[in-house]
Amino acid sequence: MESELPFRTPAACFHGGEFFTAVGEEFDALDRRERIINADVLDAWFPPSPRVTAALQAHLPWLLKTSPPTACEGLVRVIAPSAGRPNRRAFCPAPVLRI
């Protein structure tokens, strides 16, 4: 017997990258991006620094054909000291292996 009540009430505000369903997971509807609020915790609500944009644009062809480091080692080394955490382990702890 089926219930007349919905199994799950739709969220009033979508999170977790749900906005990709609007622009397309294959980015085939990017023209919609100006009408969508990307409100995930990792989405910036402010524009990028002009210095960052210029640096990315200066190296864009190379960046587009190059894979980034998988563990972000350089990024961690640069950010950790400015966050008051001088070593990688303090900034990004290794997972605990439990057997």
Side-chain angles (χ1 to χ4, degrees), residues 44-82:
W45 46 269
F46 49 86
S49 160
R51 289 174 43 196
V52 170
T53 301
L56 291 172
Q57 286 177 342
H59 303 284
L60 191 57
W62 181 81
L63 291 169
L64 291 173
K65 65 178 188 171
T66 305
S67 296
T70 56
C72 304
E73 298 92 341
L75 180 64
V76 170
R77 279 194 302 272
V78 171
I79 293 176
S82 66

Side-chain angles (χ1 to χ4, degrees), residues 8-88:
R8 182 180 70 101
T9 304
C13 180
F14 295 106
H15 294 284
E18 184 67 26
F19 66 91
F20 276 112
T21 58
V23 296
E25 292 178 350
E26 296 176 8
F27 303 124
D28 49 336
L30 285 175
D31 56 306
R32 297 180 187 163
R33 75 186 185 284
E34 298 298 328
R35 299 186 310 266
I36 296 167
I37 298 171
N38 45 338
D40 198 345
V41 294
L42 298 178
D43 297 324
W45 46 269
F46 49 86
S49 160
R51 289 174 43 196
V52 170
T53 301
L56 291 172
Q57 286 177 342
H59 303 284
L60 191 57
W62 181 81
L63 291 169
L64 291 173
K65 65 178 188 171
T66 305
S67 296
T70 56
C72 304
E73 298 92 341
L75 180 64
V76 170
R77 279 194 302 272
V78 171
I79 293 176
S82 66
R85 299 173 181 213
N87 63 51
R88 175 186 163 82

